[in-house]
Each structure stands twice: as C-alpha cells, then as structure tokens.
Amino acid sequence: MNYYEVNFDGLVGPTHNYAGLSYGNVASKSNANKTSNPKQAALQGLEKMWHLVQLGLHQGVVAPNARPDLITLRACGFAGSDSAVISKAAKAQPQLLKACYSASSMWTANAATVSPSCDSADGKLHITPANLNNKLHRAIEAPQTSQILKAMFSDPDFFSHHEALPQHPLYGDEGAANYTRLADSYGHQGLALFVYGEDAHTQVKPQLFPARQTRQASEAVARSHQLDPQNTLFIQQNPEVIDQGVFHNDVIAIGNENVFLFHEQAFYQQQGVIEQIKAGYQGDRPLHLIEVKNADISVEDAVKSYVFNSQLVSLPSGGMAVIAPGECQMVGKVEQYLSALCQASNPVSEVIYMDLKQSMQNGGGPACLRLRVTLSQQELSAVNPACLLDEGLYHRLRDWINTHYRDRLSEADLADPSLMTESQTALDTLTTILNLGSVYPFQQA
Ligand code: SUG
C-alpha cells in the first residue's frame, strides 16, 4: 500500500501580532510590539502550502484557534458582555489580553505529536495534542486544537485521539517540534526520535532559558501511542544551545525518511546519540547522518537564518527538497552550505526559498508551520477532504483572507472589540469552507 507524508499547515489567524510573549525565543522578543500584517502572514503561509501542492505533494490545512480566547479571559474574572470583557482586560491585564489574542496556533508543529499506524502496536494513527504549558498564550491552545484535529481525523477505525498531558511542568510537551522519525520509507516501521530539553531526574538543564519539553512528557506520549521501545529513542537536547535560542529541536535538526541533518552541537553527549541512532535504524536504504559543523554554520547563524527549521520533503520525482526560509539567503555561509548540500552525495537535490517573514519574526519558520502526518492511502481517504488543499481550496482561502484580514495590527488594536467580531465572522465562514462543523466556542455559545 502507498503511504504519504502529508504536511498539515496552520492557517495564520486574523489576529497575528507581535507581542513578545516567548521568553527564550529570540525573534519573538526582538520583534515585540512591531506592527504586524495578518493578511500578508496568512497569504505567505498559504503560498507555501500551494507550492508544496505544485511539487506534487499532498497538503492539508489546519484552522486557527479562535481569538480572543474569551473562555480564558472569563476564567480570569473578567465578566459582562464579550466587548466589556475585552475592554476591562485591556485596562487591567494587557499582558493577559495579548496572550488571549495570540495567533500562535499557526505553528502546528507544536499542535500535537502524531505517530503513524505503521509504528504503533494497534495499527492506528495516534494523536496527542501538546499541552504547551511553558507559555500562557500557548497553554490555552490544546482544547480548541484538539477539537479541530478531531473534526479533521474523525474516523475511529483509523485515528486514535488522546488527551493532552497534565498541565504540570513535569509534563511540558511541545508536540512534533521535538519528534522526528527515520525510516526506509514512509510506510515502514520507523525509528522514533523524541528530543527533550530536561529530565526531572537529572541536573543537566539550561541555565538561562526554559527547557520546554521534558523527558517525562516524551515518554508518556510514546507510551500512549503504543510505540515499540526497541524503535524509540529519547535524546536530550544540548542545554547550551537552548540558552542560545534553540527553544525546540526543530531549530537545530531535521529528519526525513533516511536523512537526518543536525548541527554538531544539537544534542547532549552527541557522539553517543549518533551511535544509538545508527544502531536503532532498521532500513535497507543507507542512513544519511549529516552533521553540520560549527565552522560551516554557527549556532548563532542557525538561529538567525532558521536553516534547520526548513522542511525536508521527498519529491514524487525522486530526491528531496529543502524548503528553506528566505532569511537563509541573507546569511552567506548558510546559503553556501545549502547549495553544497545539494551537490554532495545524499538524497537532497534542491533548495526552495520561501518568504515567510511575518511568521519568522515571531520565531516560526517553514517547519514550525506544519504538522507532519504519515498516512496510508486508505487513511488519507478517511481524512476530512475539505481540509486537503487543491486549486479550488487555494483560491477560496485566498479570497477569504483578502476579504476578512487586516493588513496592520498593533498592540492598541487588541483593545478594539471590533477586532473580535471581525475575527469571529471570518472563522465562522472558515468552518464552512473546511467543513469543520461548530468547532469554536463562540459558535457553541
Ligand atoms: O512558541 N512564537 C512561537 C514559535 C513556535 C515555533 N515553533 C517551532 N519551532 N516548531 C513560540 O515561541 C511568539 C508569539 C509572540 O511573541 O507574539 C511565539 O509564540
């Protein structure tokens, strides 16, 4: 049977803004309070999705969370009409209002961890929404994200949905940004790599910035997904690079099928990690472990260019393409490295640069914007077809963005209740386009 990797990209929501909410994420902090352009952000993301369709790949779309999150604002004691809740929060707790207006659900690499059916004991595809408990604006995502994923992957014969892990620091879970699998090809049993920043039972941890993923969370997800311990590795991120702004593993490593590209400082006790990966990989095709030296790309340049946050995709015509952020072209050594990579003897054959500046300014590159889901042909047929991108949907979404989105948004705009109504109107229309039913709290009120 054919298997495919389908990228499900988060559609950037109408309230995309720069609120500086992510301590440890250099771009988020340095662009705090800039004026954003939600329309451009959503169009840039959509163009990336459309480009992958044109490469002959299957591509899915994930609807954004509804913002503002009125449930959280009300839980924090703001009462009255929806407009009154906004106005009161804007005066008394502007930081909370910003968190409740964040469009951060766009980074669907953090939406969930998804294990394909060929890796799990019960032969089902398993989905655990990430609790994202390290940051308030992200910790509020899981309930809506879970509803949306259930409306996309609804058939219980194929898809098994789990609850997010407990909202406790011991179980900090940031989803697929810290998970990759190496396999001969998509439909074969893979070696699951879970990368964590901190283990509650050791003292190895970053000194400055938080480790967002714990080993305990990764182990819990692997257990729920019924993964074979023989084919599962738990690897610690190098705490020193977390302190340099590598807040997720997908900022320092990428894997696809039999290729794993990673920085020489990505992991704690890296040589041992490499040996474990070599021993664990079961494929017949050779495994390409490509370790990028600091002399070729420094950690600083990796964080600046987000080169490791590229997508590495297998092309239907053979070979693999690196879908890289345009920022890589502004760092000479990175651009040179990527072109040399395509000439070297490995499956990588081309680099495609995409302009995702609006998302990049919040620390979200091409790989952050997508959730990878490996599906058999039969499972793909069971996915909500309205969420799979084709030319018709591409045009409908483009018109929808152009109709409903603002082209500038600053902090002061969050206090304006009309932003809430505009956003709800847009998302109400979107649920019809993507055939999601009533997934949003405001639709159920
Ligand atoms: O969680 N930025 C996100 C970026 C997520 C990137 N995802 C992956 N690497 N997979 C984060 O730090 C910034 C929001 C703001 O500051 O307005 C933000 O949440």
Side-chain angles (χ1 to χ4, degrees):
M1 183 169 345
N2 284 340
Y3 276 78
Y4 307 97
E5 178 187 88
V6 185
N7 287 287
F8 286 84
D9 277 50
L11 201 49
V12 179
T15 66
H16 158 68
N17 70 98
Y18 299 119
L21 299 172
S22 275
Y23 179 64
N25 167 342
V26 178
S28 154
K29 281 289 163 196
S30 56
N31 291 303
N33 302 324
K34 265 206 175 124
T35 299
S36 67
N37 184 336
K39 183 179 285 187
Q40 194 180 46
L43 290 172
Q44 286 173 347
L46 183 62
E47 284 312 315
K48 169 166 90 79
M49 300 184 221
W50 181 228
H51 200 96
L52 267 73
V53 176
Q54 288 171 309
L55 291 175
L57 302 172
H58 293 283
Q59 174 69 51
V61 182
V62 184
N65 277 205
R67 294 290 177 258
D69 180 348
L70 292 160
I71 294 179
T72 298
L73 290 168
R74 288 186 186 279
C76 291
F78 295 105
S81 67
D82 290 350
S83 300
V85 166
I86 304 287
S87 312
K88 289 180 199 171
K91 284 196 193 83
Q93 289 285 314
Q95 253 337 86
L96 174 67
L97 186 66
K98 283 195 221 173
C100 291
Y101 252 120
S102 176
S104 54
S105 68
M106 70 172 89
W107 298 298
T108 50
N110 307 120
T113 306
V114 180
S115 299
S117 53
C118 45
D119 286 0
S120 66
D122 67 355
K124 288 193 184 182
L125 179 140
H126 289 258
I127 304 176
T128 298
N131 63 22
L132 294 164
N133 68 14
N134 196 263
K135 306 273 179 263
L136 174 62
H137 68 294
R138 306 227 56 186
I140 57 180
E141 290 175 31
Q144 282 190 44
T145 297
S146 177
Q147 284 278 105
I148 292 166
L149 292 174
K150 284 178 180 162
M152 297 167 66
F153 301 93
S154 59
D155 190 333
D157 286 344
F158 296 109
F159 308 123
S160 176
H161 292 265
H162 301 269
E163 295 293 319
L165 297 177
Q167 284 286 5
H168 183 278
L170 186 59
Y171 287 103
D173 178 21
E174 302 269 326
N178 296 317
Y179 158 84
T180 194
R181 68 188 285 276
L182 301 175
D184 222 9
S185 67
Y186 293 126
H188 288 187
Q189 164 76 58
L191 177 67
L193 310 183
F194 285 87
V195 182
Y196 60 90
E198 185 174 343
D199 176 347
H201 305 304
T202 76
Q203 289 309 311
V204 182
K205 52 188 75 172
Q207 301 300 306
L208 180 63
F209 292 146
R212 299 205 208 173
Q213 179 87 30
T214 65
R215 179 177 178 123
Q216 286 62 39
S218 301
E219 287 175 347
V221 171
R223 244 187 326 268
S224 308
H225 290 197
Q226 304 183 22
L227 300 185
D228 175 1
Q230 297 286 343
N231 291 304
T232 307
L233 293 179
F234 299 98
I235 298 170
Q236 180 154 16
Q237 224 185 320
N238 177 357
E240 287 170 20
V241 297
I242 297 180
D243 280 340
Q244 291 171 71
V246 181
F247 56 97
H248 289 139
N249 180 58
D250 67 5
V251 180
I252 201 84
I254 342 170
N256 178 51
E257 292 191 309
N258 61 335
V259 176
F260 193 43
L261 179 79
F262 53 99
H263 192 271
E264 72 169 323
Q265 292 176 19
F267 306 113
Y268 178 63
Q269 297 183 332
Q270 184 140 315
Q271 202 44 47
V273 170
I274 294 172
E275 294 311 320
Q276 279 182 293
I277 295 175
K278 280 187 188 158
Y281 176 76
Q282 308 255 325
D284 296 328
R285 288 159 79 202
L287 176 63
H288 294 267
L289 292 177
I290 308 173
E291 187 175 43
V292 181
K293 300 290 172 208
N294 208 48
D296 291 328
I297 301 179
S298 65
V299 174
E300 194 187 345
D301 280 350
V303 172
K304 201 193 298 170
S305 66
Y306 252 48
V307 57
F308 291 95
N309 202 258
S310 299
Q311 287 174 249
L312 188 55
V313 295
S314 299
L315 299 167
S317 51
M320 294 186 190
V322 177
I323 314 294
E327 283 71 2
C328 292
Q329 292 179 289
M330 290 167 214
V331 183
K333 284 183 104 170
V334 171
E335 192 179 20
Q336 274 162 27
Y337 183 87
L338 288 177
S339 47
L341 185 68
C342 299
Q343 305 308 317
S345 81
N346 64 58
V348 181
S349 49
E350 62 178 297
V351 184
I352 298 166
Y353 293 100
M354 300 289 324
D355 179 6
L356 295 163
K357 188 159 185 246
Q358 286 288 324
S359 167
M360 283 285 288
Q361 292 186 147
N362 253 338
C368 299
L369 285 161
R370 61 93 172 94
L371 179 64
R372 291 192 280 186
V373 184
T374 295
L375 296 160
S376 68
Q377 182 64 58
Q378 217 183 5
E379 290 162 346
L380 180 59
S381 313
V383 173
N384 179 344
C387 296
L388 295 173
L389 194 69
D390 58 14
E391 192 166 1
L393 181 57
Y394 165 67
H395 288 294
R396 278 194 292 287
L397 290 175
R398 217 170 52 168
D399 292 346
W400 172 80
I401 294 164
N402 281 322
T403 308
H404 293 281
Y405 279 53
R406 295 190 184 189
D407 58 14
R408 47 181 294 127
L409 205 58
S410 61
E411 191 185 334
D413 297 320
L414 305 186
D416 170 11
S418 56
L419 179 64
M420 170 185 64
T421 354
E422 277 168 38
S423 179
Q424 291 180 345
T425 307
L427 295 184
D428 200 31
T429 310
L430 184 68
T431 52
T432 308
I433 299 175
L434 299 179
N435 194 16
L436 292 174
S438 300
V439 283
Y440 292 122
F442 70 82
Q443 294 175 308
Q444 292 151 23

